[in-house]
Amino acid sequence: MKNWGDKVFDGIPVGSEEASLFSRYVAGHDLAANSRKAIAQDVKKFARWFASVNKEPFKISRVATRDVTDFRDFLRREKKQAVATVNRCLVTIRRFFGWLADRGHIAANPAKAVKELRRQQLAPKGLDRSQVRRLLREVELRHDIRANAVFSLFLWAGCRCSDLINLELPDVMLSERTGTVVFRLGKGNKQRSVPLPLPARRALEAYLETRPPIENQRVFIGERGPLTERGVRAMCDKYSAIIGVKIHPHLLRHTMAHQFLADNGNDLVGLAQILGHENLNTTARYTKRTGEQLADAAAKLNY
């Protein structure tokens, strides 16, 4: 069975130690599955570019600062990738080569001096009230009880897709007046308890009454067992086509964050607890304006 390094560098000319070193790097860090996948994609992207432009195998000892700088510019100018995507890739490379340098595999980190691209910080985009209403109406009209529960957790609990699909029956506590869900496997393996407002409690109660009676403890069940991330995204794609607005799990999480701040006097501390943010600076991005809001404000200028 191939290890992480073999998978990443499959089809790319590399040195004799690169695959094993990358496998050790990944194994030495407690990373979520999605984080491992993103890191692997970033390093693979860099290795393939390096071998292509330099006409030589990718070897960590042959990577220069100029390579990292040129790669950053290639992603932005030629591939037209978003600033956030380019910067994430740059951070991945910097950390990997920093790890290599700390362990003496290379003399110095060639990515250390390469600066990330600057960008204007805008608030993550969310749905407006009319779009949320349209989504929930269509779900109700189709008597889609499971979709109603799924979308309600995104919109009232602000959970991630991984939170939702890993939610188990003992983690749901519902009563007539209160409700709480415990997300035990949040980002960084952090656990958090989130209160459920009445609309979300009703949606979840209705689903649990019709949930297929299988032994698996996962709350949400699909056609072939526990609901997967792919299944959730398929659900989002289905309703995107119905309402004419592209939706995805993180967009619904952003929607909840914007609405929570609007309805609670910009309570950043409360929102941070619900979303599972350790750093308030992460939560504070929701206080900024979206690109659409800035455009609307600029259009009101009158000279």
Side-chain angles (χ1 to χ4, degrees):
M1 183 177 178
K2 289 184 176 181
N3 58 30
W4 269 97
D6 293 329
K7 292 177 182 177
V8 168
F9 299 122
D10 189 25
I12 302 172
V14 298
S16 59
E17 297 183 347
E18 277 61 27
S20 62
L21 285 172
F22 184 71
S23 295
R24 286 163 55 190
Y25 171 71
V26 172
H29 294 77
D30 185 15
L31 300 168
N34 286 342
S35 295
R36 288 197 300 270
K37 188 182 300 182
I39 289 171
Q41 289 173 345
D42 290 340
V43 172
K44 183 175 187 175
K45 196 186 300 183
F46 178 58
R48 180 180 287 122
W49 172 88
F50 179 96
S52 175
V53 298
N54 292 322
K55 309 299 181 187
E56 64 177 81
F58 172 68
K59 295 182 179 180
I60 58 172
S61 61
R62 295 281 297 165
V63 175
T65 297
R66 178 176 182 129
D67 290 317
V68 183
T69 302
D70 290 349
F71 176 63
R72 177 198 64 188
D73 296 342
F74 163 77
L75 293 180
R76 183 60 179 153
R77 294 173 185 171
E78 295 188 37
K79 302 298 288 184
K80 307 296 183 184
Q81 294 192 351
V83 171
T85 302
V86 176
N87 285 344
R88 189 201 70 186
C89 196
L90 186 58
V91 168
T92 295
I93 295 168
R94 185 186 298 132
R95 287 175 177 171
F96 177 45
F97 278 90
W99 179 86
L100 292 167
D102 289 344
R103 281 153 184 76
H105 298 292
I106 53 177
N109 181 354
K112 186 176 182 179
V114 182
K115 295 181 178 180
E116 296 170 34
L117 299 175
R118 297 186 66 178
R119 59 172 174 164
Q120 181 184 23
Q121 289 289 334
L122 298 174
K125 187 178 179 181
L127 299 178
D128 60 33
R129 284 183 185 272
S130 65
Q131 291 169 327
V132 172
R133 185 174 183 275
R134 196 187 319 167
L135 171 63
L136 296 179
R137 280 190 72 249
E138 293 297 340
V139 169
E140 180 182 344
L141 289 171
R142 285 162 176 76
H143 305 289
D144 195 339
I145 297 174
R146 187 184 64 172
N148 190 37
V150 167
F151 292 144
S152 293
L153 275 182
F154 285 133
L155 289 167
W156 273 277
C159 60
R160 300 179 178 89
C161 189
S162 58
D163 292 326
L164 185 135
I165 62 176
N166 287 311
L167 188 65
E168 297 192 345
L169 292 173
D171 300 330
V172 178
M173 289 147 279
L174 302 175
S175 66
E176 282 190 25
R177 296 187 178 182
T178 63
T180 303
V181 289
V182 179
F183 298 121
R184 299 186 185 278
L185 298 173
K187 200 169 185 179
N189 291 323
K190 297 180 183 70
Q191 177 178 311
R192 69 188 190 281
S193 297
V194 178
L196 285 182
L198 182 59
R201 293 205 304 273
R202 285 176 173 170
L204 197 50
E205 285 170 348
Y207 167 72
L208 290 174
E209 289 176 0
T210 62
R211 177 184 177 274
I214 67 173
E215 293 184 6
N216 195 288
Q217 289 285 81
R218 294 286 173 85
V219 170
F220 291 102
I221 305 301
E223 294 181 2
R224 299 181 181 86
L227 187 64
T228 63
E229 180 177 343
R230 185 175 180 179
V232 174
R233 294 189 181 279
M235 190 184 300
C236 289
D237 290 342
K238 171 184 173 180
Y239 281 95
S240 294
I242 292 171
I243 69 173
V245 177
K246 179 63 179 175
I247 61 174
H248 55 82
H250 233 60
L251 177 70
L252 300 179
R253 175 174 160 90
H254 294 329
T255 300
M256 180 273 176
H258 285 297
Q259 201 59 53
F260 181 92
L261 291 181
D263 293 343
N264 291 280
N266 280 335
D267 179 9
L268 283 175
V269 174
L271 179 59
Q273 285 185 240
I274 290 175
L275 296 183
H277 291 164
E278 283 194 341
N279 191 331
L280 276 183
N281 288 332
T282 305
T283 319
R285 61 185 178 155
Y286 291 107
T287 64
K288 299 181 184 295
R289 299 293 182 262
T290 65
E292 289 80 359
Q293 288 171 325
L294 289 177
D296 289 343
K300 294 176 183 177
L301 285 171
N302 185 19
Y303 294 103

